[in-house]
Amino acid sequence: MPSLQNEESVTLYRSRRLILKEYDCAERFAAKAAEAGWPSAGELPAEPSTGTPRRSSWELASGTFVTLFQVPERRLAYVAVLSMLGREAAAHLLSLPLASLELAGLEVWTDEELIGAVSAASDPDEHAAALIRAGLGAPGEIAEPWVRAFFAAVRHPSEEVRTAGIEAIMYAGWPRFAELLRAMAKEDPSRSIRKLAKRNASVLEARAV
């Protein structure tokens, strides 16, 4: 059986991420996974220096895993299905951990809540945090509310918000946003943000090939 430790040696397709409203949720989710009969596929610790989240995985079916990601420095947790069987299989099986989250009393951010929090943010810190959540929880296909949020973010007067906007765009992973990042790489008043935008535009362009 493939494990979390060797998952990087194979191609895994990811479902949409489910963003949780609670960070300290590992024990409750693990208990529901055990009740469902999903064998543990291992855990990997967080690496704050590289921004790598803590990962705990269970096998839903052969070649398909549900993984709980926890980002300690942001008190942020989310769940996704990873599958060797293709993106459609990962998306289809996402209903299983979603049901387990509901049974564990763990609430998931809805689309309306993700975007609403961006619009309602009252300061740069809150705005940046909301953008990161929205980027992580973005749908697989481009959606207009996210487009508006991302365009507004990269034009925001706060460097913190513009930087978070780039990170959110990369989490969403939509190649069409490479053009926006290219423009940002030329026009942003901050040298560090111009460099960040240029580097990430190249990443999105490579995904489109």
Side-chain angles (χ1 to χ4, degrees), residues 18-189:
L18 302 175
I19 314 302
L20 305 183
K21 293 185 176 181
E22 292 182 47
Y23 173 75
D24 295 315
C25 55
E27 289 187 7
R28 275 186 286 167
F29 189 76
K32 290 302 175 184
E35 287 180 17
W38 304 334
S40 172
E43 295 185 8
L44 292 175
E47 297 177 17
S49 62
T50 61
T52 303
R54 175 190 177 191
R55 288 162 286 170
S56 306
S57 284
W58 297 265
E59 190 168 32
L60 293 176
S62 180
T64 302
F65 307 86
V66 57
T67 299
L68 170 65
F69 299 84
Q70 292 174 288
V71 188
E73 63 270 24
R74 286 182 168 149
R75 304 291 293 172
L76 182 64
Y78 55 94
V79 167
V81 171
L82 307 172
S83 180
M84 291 184 284
L85 307 179
R87 202 172 306 280
E88 289 186 6
H92 176 70
L93 289 171
L94 188 60
S95 60
L96 296 178
L98 179 57
S100 290
L101 289 170
E102 292 173 354
L103 290 171
L106 294 169
E107 293 186 65
V108 174
W109 286 79
T110 66
D111 287 357
E112 292 76 13
E113 289 171 333
L114 288 170
I115 293 300
V118 175
S119 302
S122 59
D123 60 62
D125 285 350
E126 188 179 345
H127 196 164
L131 280 167
I132 299 303
R133 273 197 310 269
L136 281 165
E141 301 296 329
I142 290 180
E144 185 61 30
W146 274 262
V147 172
R148 291 195 297 269
F150 293 165
F151 268 85
V154 302
R155 292 176 170 83
H156 198 278
S158 165
E159 289 191 16
E160 180 183 5
V161 172
R162 297 201 305 277
T163 300
I166 294 173
E167 187 173 352
I169 286 169
M170 296 309 295
Y171 281 134
W174 299 325
R176 283 173 53 188
F177 272 83
E179 183 178 349
L180 177 62
L181 294 183
R182 284 293 177 197
M184 201 177 182
K186 295 178 181 178
E187 301 167 3
D188 196 277

